Amino acid sequence: MSSPRGPKACGGGAADRPIHVLAVDDSSVDRAVIARLLRSSKYRVTTVDSGKKALELLGLQEPNVNMIITDYWMPEMTGYELLKIVKESSELREIPVVIMSSENVPNRINRCLEEGAEDFLLKPVRPSDVARLCNRMR
Amino acid sequence: MELGSLQRRYIDFTSALFREGFLDNQYTQLQQLQDESNPEFVLEVVTLFFEDSEKLLDELSRTLDQQVVDYKKVDAHVHQLKGSSASIGAQRVKNVCMAFRNCCEERNQEGCLRCLQQVRQEYFLVKSKLETLFRLEKQILAAGGSVPVLW
């Protein structure tokens, strides 16, 4: 793991390739906000609007995803379900997964953390939350 | 209008929006994320909010108009509206959504219809205020000035 850096300098990954974050959220508003937040920390960001699309992207030859950040409540597949699938996959399980939710439900948070989520962020997400993720990238 | 008074008008108008609870700190967070490389960020996000909200308000009308109301569906829509209004700092809209969700839980159709009317009102109010805000910003820039930073 690289030494701690300030929030603005977090983007450099191995061999200075920008860290690639996959953001999953069914809300267009929240996708725009999280993308901007992550890009202002110099991450490369891909946004998708469902767990299904996230898995399609992750199933590609070289997804090169260093972190997944996903909303909890989504139709068809929740962030929790996506988390489980990722952690149960031998190819994907090393990728840190962060869950976002607008609801502060302790049971939900614990369940996600127990299932292997790296962190749980309460929405609306702030720059300080993104800064906190800096050291958790793969 | 000359630049100085435009800027003063902008300051007064924005301060009132925050003071009256139309906008909260989340809006300020969005403003802070706007810069030379993303000069229209706030406008882009707020526009997405407008599109999303109007779709949701229509869906809510439709869903509450059914003979047998599907409260799970109503709740899901209100949850979405609450989320997006919170994400842009539209505080009064968000607050009505919270009351709305309680009515859903109680399966109270009358209450839900009242909340829908209220949330619609708050939404169109904040929409018109934000449009005024953006118009003022445009006018200030067109007059060769810079938009006052209030944080």
Side-chain angles (χ1 to χ4, degrees), chain A residues 30-131:
Chain A
D30 290 346
R31 276 200 304 278
V33 174
I34 194 71
R36 177 77 196 103
L37 272 172
L38 291 166
R39 284 177 185 135
S40 73
S41 283
K42 305 291 181 257
Y43 299 128
R44 190 181 124 216
V45 185
T46 302
T47 58
V48 293
D49 64 6
S50 70
K52 181 159 175 249
K53 295 221 181 101
L55 289 171
E56 278 168 16
L57 194 139
L58 290 164
L60 298 174
Q61 273 257 287
E62 296 268 345
N64 278 325
V65 169
N66 305 104
M67 175 174 274
I68 299 165
I69 178 163
T70 176
D71 189 26
Y72 181 87
W73 257 136
M74 295 185 290
E76 288 162 22
M77 187 191 294
T78 65
Y80 176 74
E81 286 160 352
L82 176 60
L83 166 70
K84 276 186 81 176
I85 293 172
V86 168
K87 292 302 163 186
E88 279 163 16
S89 148
S90 46
E91 292 99 24
L92 304 175
R93 70 160 61 107
E94 294 302 311
I95 305 176
V97 181
V98 172
I99 312 273
M100 302 180 282
S101 176
S102 56
E103 294 170 313
N104 189 350
V105 181
N107 283 340
R108 176 185 298 178
I109 298 173
N110 287 331
R111 237 170 69 233
C112 289
L113 294 174
E114 271 162 32
E115 201 62 44
E118 196 67 34
D119 205 338
F120 194 101
L121 302 177
L122 277 179
K123 284 176 161 187
V125 179
R126 305 181 136 221
S128 51
D129 296 319
V130 173

Side-chain angles (χ1 to χ4, degrees), chain B residues 7-9 11 14-15 19 23-24 34 47 59-60 71-72 77-78 82 87 93 96 102-103 113 118 120 125 151:
Chain B
Q7 286 170 324
R8 266 190 307 277
R9 187 131 167 254
I11 292 170
T14 307
S15 311
R19 200 172 47 239
L23 296 176
D24 64 26
Q34 185 162 290
T47 304
E59 292 277 353
L60 279 166
Y71 285 101
K72 262 184 94 181
H77 291 323
V78 178
K82 174 169 161 270
S87 293
V93 176
V96 180
N102 290 336
C103 290
L113 286 167
Q118 235 190 312
R120 202 181 227 116
L125 251 171
W151 37 266

